[in-house]
Amino acid sequence: MSSKRVVFDFDIAFTNGGGIQGQDFRLDIDGDTITDKELADYIVNDMQLLMVRKVDIINKHYITEAHKRKPVNLKADEKLVDLSHTIFDGLVTYKGLPAPIICDYLSREQSKVNYEEGTEFQIGKITMVTNTGTYIDCPFHRFEHGKDLSEVALEQFADLDAVTINAKDAIEIGKEYFVGKELRNKAVLVFTNWAKHWNTELYFENHPYLTGEAAQYLKECQVKLVGIDSHNIDDTRGKSRPVHTTLLGAEILITEHLCNLDKLPENGYKFNAVPPKFKGAGTFPVRAYASLG
């Protein structure tokens, strides 16, 4: 069976001088097209080149021809999984809290008076509460003298060994979901499948949550962070918040409103959820993601 191949020339320049060229290279691809950037990255990685300054792809075209080896499938090789919801103007993350306002502070049209033709800029303005979208909670969110975003060490947000706990379709998530798991010093991400209701009325009602006993168990296991793809890690039907109190009191961070947890393996990956370094704030949106490789 015939498949697509890309044919191209390339010219590579190095930061320490010199360069190499290639003509009429042929590469099997999985799909109909491949970008110049993807081709350049492939060449540099495959040839194990160092100190590359510039890669020019020249005379690129496609042919239909039987593949000679396993095709390049860049999408299959992607190792990052986005675990964050998109924040947009008017998004309601938590009923009773104002939605974000996202607008221009300086529009491109307005900026034309300040710059030469073809050099327009946009400067945005965002007004929002810190509990917006996918966010992380630090101890200051719950405790007046707890560490705020600026005081928590970077290594508590980034490059954390992680495990996924499958609590799909459960509402009350107790200690039994965590017993027998390797949890110490890890980010524990609880998959409930509740993210499927994001930005709907169903998201706010009867959502999954952890029990106080589960939080105490996680504290005893000395986990670093606990995340959930639900409206709140606590049961919001009452006025107490035992999970927030237990975890944040032990300086265990909390990430709420995650998504795409169904795309994660049970273990063997890294979790990242880094917020800006604000003083005097205990919660802020993050671009949470997992690194699978």
PDB file of all heavy atoms in Angstrom, residues 82-104:
ATOM      1  N   ASP A  82      -2.436  18.435  28.409  1.00  0.00           N
ATOM      2  CA  ASP A  82      -2.995  19.639  29.026  1.00  0.00           C
ATOM      3  C   ASP A  82      -4.135  19.226  29.949  1.00  0.00           C
ATOM      4  O   ASP A  82      -5.099  18.575  29.524  1.00  0.00           O
ATOM      5  CB  ASP A  82      -3.502  20.577  27.928  1.00  0.00           C
ATOM      6  CG  ASP A  82      -3.792  21.977  28.433  1.00  0.00           C
ATOM      7  OD1 ASP A  82      -4.008  22.145  29.655  1.00  0.00           O
ATOM      8  OD2 ASP A  82      -3.829  22.908  27.607  1.00  0.00           O
ATOM      9  N   LEU A  83      -4.048  19.633  31.209  1.00  0.00           N
ATOM     10  CA  LEU A  83      -5.048  19.261  32.215  1.00  0.00           C
ATOM     11  C   LEU A  83      -5.868  20.464  32.683  1.00  0.00           C
ATOM     12  O   LEU A  83      -6.535  20.395  33.715  1.00  0.00           O
ATOM     13  CB  LEU A  83      -4.355  18.609  33.423  1.00  0.00           C
ATOM     14  CG  LEU A  83      -3.440  17.420  33.105  1.00  0.00           C
ATOM     15  CD1 LEU A  83      -2.785  16.905  34.383  1.00  0.00           C
ATOM     16  CD2 LEU A  83      -4.207  16.294  32.421  1.00  0.00           C
ATOM     17  N   SER A  84      -5.823  21.559  31.915  1.00  0.00           N
ATOM     18  CA  SER A  84      -6.478  22.806  32.319  1.00  0.00           C
ATOM     19  C   SER A  84      -7.655  23.149  31.421  1.00  0.00           C
ATOM     20  O   SER A  84      -7.598  22.940  30.206  1.00  0.00           O
ATOM     21  CB  SER A  84      -5.479  23.961  32.270  1.00  0.00           C
ATOM     22  OG  SER A  84      -4.392  23.728  33.120  1.00  0.00           O
ATOM     23  N   HIS A  85      -8.694  23.717  32.019  1.00  0.00           N
ATOM     24  CA  HIS A  85      -9.807  24.274  31.251  1.00  0.00           C
ATOM     25  C   HIS A  85      -9.410  25.641  30.694  1.00  0.00           C
ATOM     26  O   HIS A  85      -8.577  26.353  31.273  1.00  0.00           O
ATOM     27  CB  HIS A  85     -11.034  24.456  32.155  1.00  0.00           C
ATOM     28  CG  HIS A  85     -11.670  23.157  32.568  1.00  0.00           C
ATOM     29  ND1 HIS A  85     -12.343  22.342  31.688  1.00  0.00           N
ATOM     30  CD2 HIS A  85     -11.740  22.546  33.785  1.00  0.00           C
ATOM     31  CE1 HIS A  85     -12.805  21.286  32.333  1.00  0.00           C
ATOM     32  NE2 HIS A  85     -12.454  21.381  33.607  1.00  0.00           N
ATOM     33  N   THR A  86     -10.015  26.008  29.588  1.00  0.00           N
ATOM     34  CA  THR A  86      -9.800  27.335  29.003  1.00  0.00           C
ATOM     35  C   THR A  86     -10.602  28.378  29.780  1.00  0.00           C
ATOM     36  O   THR A  86     -11.788  28.184  30.063  1.00  0.00           O
ATOM     37  CB  THR A  86     -10.232  27.350  27.527  1.00  0.00           C
ATOM     38  OG1 THR A  86      -9.436  26.403  26.808  1.00  0.00           O
ATOM     39  CG2 THR A  86     -10.065  28.731  26.914  1.00  0.00           C
ATOM     40  N   ILE A  87      -9.958  29.475  30.126  1.00  0.00           N
ATOM     41  CA  ILE A  87     -10.630  30.595  30.788  1.00  0.00           C
ATOM     42  C   ILE A  87     -11.029  31.601  29.723  1.00  0.00           C
ATOM     43  O   ILE A  87     -10.201  32.023  28.921  1.00  0.00           O
ATOM     44  CB  ILE A  87      -9.704  31.268  31.821  1.00  0.00           C
ATOM     45  CG1 ILE A  87      -9.328  30.257  32.914  1.00  0.00           C
ATOM     46  CG2 ILE A  87     -10.370  32.500  32.434  1.00  0.00           C
ATOM     47  CD1 ILE A  87      -8.273  30.776  33.885  1.00  0.00           C
ATOM     48  N   PHE A  88     -12.284  31.986  29.704  1.00  0.00           N
ATOM     49  CA  PHE A  88     -12.768  32.954  28.725  1.00  0.00           C
ATOM     50  C   PHE A  88     -13.638  34.004  29.410  1.00  0.00           C
ATOM     51  O   PHE A  88     -14.086  33.818  30.553  1.00  0.00           O
ATOM     52  CB  PHE A  88     -13.550  32.257  27.602  1.00  0.00           C
ATOM     53  CG  PHE A  88     -14.688  31.395  28.079  1.00  0.00           C
ATOM     54  CD1 PHE A  88     -15.955  31.933  28.313  1.00  0.00           C
ATOM     55  CD2 PHE A  88     -14.500  30.036  28.301  1.00  0.00           C
ATOM     56  CE1 PHE A  88     -17.001  31.146  28.745  1.00  0.00           C
ATOM     57  CE2 PHE A  88     -15.553  29.230  28.739  1.00  0.00           C
ATOM     58  CZ  PHE A  88     -16.803  29.788  28.954  1.00  0.00           C
ATOM     59  N   ASP A  89     -13.856  35.099  28.734  1.00  0.00           N
ATOM     60  CA  ASP A  89     -14.671  36.185  29.268  1.00  0.00           C
ATOM     61  C   ASP A  89     -16.062  35.672  29.615  1.00  0.00           C
ATOM     62  O   ASP A  89     -16.742  35.066  28.781  1.00  0.00           O
ATOM     63  CB  ASP A  89     -14.771  37.304  28.226  1.00  0.00           C
ATOM     64  CG  ASP A  89     -15.571  38.493  28.734  1.00  0.00           C
ATOM     65  OD1 ASP A  89     -15.057  39.195  29.614  1.00  0.00           O
ATOM     66  OD2 ASP A  89     -16.693  38.696  28.243  1.00  0.00           O
ATOM     67  N   GLY A  90     -16.481  35.867  30.876  1.00  0.00           N
ATOM     68  CA  GLY A  90     -17.804  35.443  31.300  1.00  0.00           C
ATOM     69  C   GLY A  90     -17.887  34.052  31.886  1.00  0.00           C
ATOM     70  O   GLY A  90     -18.974  33.611  32.284  1.00  0.00           O
ATOM     71  N   LEU A  91     -16.770  33.344  31.953  1.00  0.00           N
ATOM     72  CA  LEU A  91     -16.778  31.978  32.493  1.00  0.00           C
ATOM     73  C   LEU A  91     -17.168  31.978  33.974  1.00  0.00           C
ATOM     74  O   LEU A  91     -16.595  32.713  34.772  1.00  0.00           O
ATOM     75  CB  LEU A  91     -15.397  31.345  32.340  1.00  0.00           C
ATOM     76  CG  LEU A  91     -15.175  30.025  33.077  1.00  0.00           C
ATOM     77  CD1 LEU A  91     -15.974  28.900  32.435  1.00  0.00           C
ATOM     78  CD2 LEU A  91     -13.685  29.681  33.127  1.00  0.00           C
ATOM     79  N   VAL A  92     -18.113  31.126  34.345  1.00  0.00           N
ATOM     80  CA  VAL A  92     -18.481  30.949  35.748  1.00  0.00           C
ATOM     81  C   VAL A  92     -17.806  29.673  36.248  1.00  0.00           C
ATOM     82  O   VAL A  92     -18.153  28.571  35.825  1.00  0.00           O
ATOM     83  CB  VAL A  92     -20.003  30.847  35.933  1.00  0.00           C
ATOM     84  CG1 VAL A  92     -20.342  30.570  37.396  1.00  0.00           C
ATOM     85  CG2 VAL A  92     -20.675  32.133  35.475  1.00  0.00           C
ATOM     86  N   THR A  93     -16.821  29.832  37.123  1.00  0.00           N
ATOM     87  CA  THR A  93     -16.129  28.688  37.701  1.00  0.00           C
ATOM     88  C   THR A  93     -16.834  28.217  38.962  1.00  0.00           C
ATOM     89  O   THR A  93     -16.951  27.018  39.202  1.00  0.00           O
ATOM     90  CB  THR A  93     -14.671  29.053  38.041  1.00  0.00           C
ATOM     91  OG1 THR A  93     -13.998  29.446  36.846  1.00  0.00           O
ATOM     92  CG2 THR A  93     -13.936  27.875  38.652  1.00  0.00           C
ATOM     93  N   TYR A  94     -17.309  29.178  39.740  1.00  0.00           N
ATOM     94  CA  TYR A  94     -17.921  28.873  41.032  1.00  0.00           C
ATOM     95  C   TYR A  94     -19.105  29.809  41.217  1.00  0.00           C
ATOM     96  O   TYR A  94     -18.926  31.027  41.208  1.00  0.00           O
ATOM     97  CB  TYR A  94     -16.893  29.081  42.148  1.00  0.00           C
ATOM     98  CG  TYR A  94     -17.156  28.306  43.407  1.00  0.00           C
ATOM     99  CD1 TYR A  94     -16.483  27.134  43.683  1.00  0.00           C
ATOM    100  CD2 TYR A  94     -18.093  28.753  44.342  1.00  0.00           C
ATOM    101  CE1 TYR A  94     -16.715  26.420  44.857  1.00  0.00           C
ATOM    102  CE2 TYR A  94     -18.341  28.045  45.500  1.00  0.00           C
ATOM    103  CZ  TYR A  94     -17.642  26.877  45.758  1.00  0.00           C
ATOM    104  OH  TYR A  94     -17.883  26.171  46.898  1.00  0.00           O
ATOM    105  N   LYS A  95     -20.293  29.261  41.365  1.00  0.00           N
ATOM    106  CA  LYS A  95     -21.489  30.095  41.506  1.00  0.00           C
ATOM    107  C   LYS A  95     -21.363  31.021  42.711  1.00  0.00           C
ATOM    108  O   LYS A  95     -20.977  30.596  43.798  1.00  0.00           O
ATOM    109  CB  LYS A  95     -22.739  29.222  41.641  1.00  0.00           C
ATOM    110  CG  LYS A  95     -23.268  28.719  40.325  1.00  0.00           C
ATOM    111  CD  LYS A  95     -24.643  28.101  40.496  1.00  0.00           C
ATOM    112  CE  LYS A  95     -25.259  27.752  39.157  1.00  0.00           C
ATOM    113  NZ  LYS A  95     -26.601  27.150  39.305  1.00  0.00           N
ATOM    114  N   GLY A  96     -21.702  32.281  42.505  1.00  0.00           N
ATOM    115  CA  GLY A  96     -21.594  33.280  43.557  1.00  0.00           C
ATOM    116  C   GLY A  96     -20.337  34.117  43.440  1.00  0.00           C
ATOM    117  O   GLY A  96     -20.245  35.180  44.051  1.00  0.00           O
ATOM    118  N   LEU A  97     -19.359  33.651  42.651  1.00  0.00           N
ATOM    119  CA  LEU A  97     -18.145  34.432  42.411  1.00  0.00           C
ATOM    120  C   LEU A  97     -18.231  35.057  41.024  1.00  0.00           C
ATOM    121  O   LEU A  97     -18.751  34.438  40.091  1.00  0.00           O
ATOM    122  CB  LEU A  97     -16.894  33.540  42.491  1.00  0.00           C
ATOM    123  CG  LEU A  97     -16.600  32.914  43.854  1.00  0.00           C
ATOM    124  CD1 LEU A  97     -15.348  32.054  43.772  1.00  0.00           C
ATOM    125  CD2 LEU A  97     -16.450  33.973  44.937  1.00  0.00           C
ATOM    126  N   PRO A  98     -17.737  36.282  40.861  1.00  0.00           N
ATOM    127  CA  PRO A  98     -17.866  36.958  39.561  1.00  0.00           C
ATOM    128  C   PRO A  98     -17.053  36.274  38.473  1.00  0.00           C
ATOM    129  O   PRO A  98     -15.970  35.729  38.722  1.00  0.00           O
ATOM    130  CB  PRO A  98     -17.338  38.368  39.845  1.00  0.00           C
ATOM    131  CG  PRO A  98     -16.438  38.209  41.029  1.00  0.00           C
ATOM    132  CD  PRO A  98     -17.054  37.119  41.857  1.00  0.00           C
ATOM    133  N   ALA A  99     -17.582  36.309  37.264  1.00  0.00           N
ATOM    134  CA  ALA A  99     -16.881  35.756  36.107  1.00  0.00           C
ATOM    135  C   ALA A  99     -15.764  36.717  35.685  1.00  0.00           C
ATOM    136  O   ALA A  99     -15.837  37.916  35.946  1.00  0.00           O
ATOM    137  CB  ALA A  99     -17.856  35.549  34.956  1.00  0.00           C
ATOM    138  N   PRO A 100     -14.731  36.211  35.035  1.00  0.00           N
ATOM    139  CA  PRO A 100     -13.659  37.092  34.581  1.00  0.00           C
ATOM    140  C   PRO A 100     -14.122  38.025  33.471  1.00  0.00           C
ATOM    141  O   PRO A 100     -14.985  37.667  32.661  1.00  0.00           O
ATOM    142  CB  PRO A 100     -12.598  36.113  34.059  1.00  0.00           C
ATOM    143  CG  PRO A 100     -13.361  34.898  33.686  1.00  0.00           C
ATOM    144  CD  PRO A 100     -14.488  34.809  34.670  1.00  0.00           C
ATOM    145  N   ILE A 101     -13.542  39.211  33.443  1.00  0.00           N
ATOM    146  CA  ILE A 101     -13.743  40.162  32.349  1.00  0.00           C
ATOM    147  C   ILE A 101     -12.420  40.259  31.600  1.00  0.00           C
ATOM    148  O   ILE A 101     -11.402  40.671  32.167  1.00  0.00           O
ATOM    149  CB  ILE A 101     -14.165  41.544  32.871  1.00  0.00           C
ATOM    150  CG1 ILE A 101     -15.473  41.441  33.667  1.00  0.00           C
ATOM    151  CG2 ILE A 101     -14.309  42.537  31.723  1.00  0.00           C
ATOM    152  CD1 ILE A 101     -15.853  42.720  34.390  1.00  0.00           C
ATOM    153  N   ILE A 102     -12.418  39.857  30.359  1.00  0.00           N
ATOM    154  CA  ILE A 102     -11.202  39.855  29.541  1.00  0.00           C
ATOM    155  C   ILE A 102     -11.428  40.797  28.369  1.00  0.00           C
ATOM    156  O   ILE A 102     -12.342  40.599  27.565  1.00  0.00           O
ATOM    157  CB  ILE A 102     -10.877  38.435  29.037  1.00  0.00           C
ATOM    158  CG1 ILE A 102     -10.775  37.464  30.221  1.00  0.00           C
ATOM    159  CG2 ILE A 102      -9.581  38.432  28.231  1.00  0.00           C
ATOM    160  CD1 ILE A 102     -10.623  36.007  29.827  1.00  0.00           C
ATOM    161  N   CYS A 103     -10.622  41.840  28.288  1.00  0.00           N
ATOM    162  CA  CYS A 103     -10.853  42.859  27.265  1.00  0.00           C
ATOM    163  C   CYS A 103      -9.540  43.544  26.907  1.00  0.00           C
ATOM    164  O   CYS A 103      -8.481  43.216  27.448  1.00  0.00           O
ATOM    165  CB  CYS A 103     -11.871  43.888  27.764  1.00  0.00           C
ATOM    166  SG  CYS A 103     -11.379  44.720  29.297  1.00  0.00           S
ATOM    167  N   ASP A 104      -9.622  44.499  25.996  1.00  0.00           N
ATOM    168  CA  ASP A 104      -8.445  45.291  25.631  1.00  0.00           C
ATOM    169  C   ASP A 104      -8.220  46.416  26.640  1.00  0.00           C
ATOM    170  O   ASP A 104      -9.163  47.103  27.025  1.00  0.00           O
ATOM    171  CB  ASP A 104      -8.630  45.941  24.256  1.00  0.00           C
ATOM    172  CG  ASP A 104      -8.608  44.937  23.124  1.00  0.00           C
ATOM    173  OD1 ASP A 104      -8.071  43.838  23.330  1.00  0.00           O
ATOM    174  OD2 ASP A 104      -9.131  45.252  22.039  1.00  0.00           O
TER     175      ASP A 104
END
